[in-house]
Amino acid sequence: MVQLIKTNSTNNDFIQLVRLLDAELAIKDGDDHAFYHQFNGITNLNFVIVAYKNEQAIGCGAIKPFDDLAMEVKRMFVPESARGLGIATKILNELESWAADLGYKKCVLETGKKQIEAIALYKKCNYQIIPNYGQYQGVENSICFEKQL
């Protein structure tokens, strides 16, 4: 059974999962990795979910305030060995519920066009493609989404 824990960015399991995520993204993003990496720090993330199965961390995600109405989804990751079990969907649903409980009306996010699995997840979870926002405006390899909560 998968257990979801609410925590923050000081959680050691979250930190380890993000290291794995960054290593994977460095390969997928190639030359674009440094650009994206600057927007993905984990210092002071106060709304983090870590998924556990048999007391082993098998996934994570976070939200952070984007504006008065929206939370931005960040650092979604499930290691390859745990993919295909619905863990990312559970994490995303929990993050959305948390954002709604905090009074936010929607979630927004950015992912890379090369992140095929991530794009499929967000579409499956009823996220809609929106124009690239903020630092992602005009970035060819970015795709942005939002979902009304």
Side-chain angles (χ1 to χ4, degrees):
M1 183 166 119
V2 175
Q3 182 181 18
L4 302 179
I5 303 295
K6 289 182 177 179
T7 185
N8 61 42
S9 60
T10 64
N11 178 286
N12 285 328
D13 291 325
F14 176 67
I15 293 166
Q16 293 303 317
L17 286 165
V18 168
R19 285 186 182 138
L20 295 173
L21 168 61
D22 286 339
E24 187 174 299
L25 290 176
I27 295 166
K28 285 187 177 182
D29 292 340
D31 293 340
D32 294 332
H33 184 68
F35 170 78
Y36 290 114
H37 188 68
Q38 68 181 322
F39 305 116
N40 289 315
I42 61 170
T43 306
N44 299 321
L45 288 177
N46 295 317
F47 310 102
V48 170
I49 300 288
V50 178
Y52 292 89
K53 186 172 184 179
N54 300 325
E55 298 181 26
Q56 177 156 357
I58 56 167
C60 65
I63 50 176
K64 71 176 192 177
F66 179 73
D67 61 25
D68 290 344
L69 297 175
M71 280 286 212
E72 185 176 23
V73 177
K74 304 295 287 183
R75 312 313 340 217
M76 286 289 299
F77 181 68
V78 174
E80 198 168 327
S81 62
R83 291 181 188 161
L85 304 174
I87 296 162
T89 300
K90 287 181 168 106
I91 293 168
L92 188 58
N93 289 341
E94 188 69 15
L95 289 170
E96 292 166 359
S97 178
W98 202 355
D101 289 348
L102 291 167
Y104 290 88
K105 304 298 181 201
K106 65 182 176 178
C107 285
V108 299
L109 63 91
E110 178 276 342
T111 194
K113 289 184 178 178
K114 297 175 186 175
Q115 314 304 324
I116 304 302
E117 300 91 348
I119 292 168
L121 168 70
Y122 300 131
K123 286 182 175 181
K124 179 181 88 169
C125 292
N126 298 314
Y127 279 75
Q128 304 298 315
I129 296 172
I130 59 171
N132 287 6
Y133 57 80
Q135 64 267 25
Y136 306 111
Q137 289 178 349
V139 177
E140 181 67 28
N141 290 321
S142 286
I143 184 168
C144 293
F145 290 89
E146 80 173 9
K147 180 179 180 179
Q148 300 297 320
L149 301 178

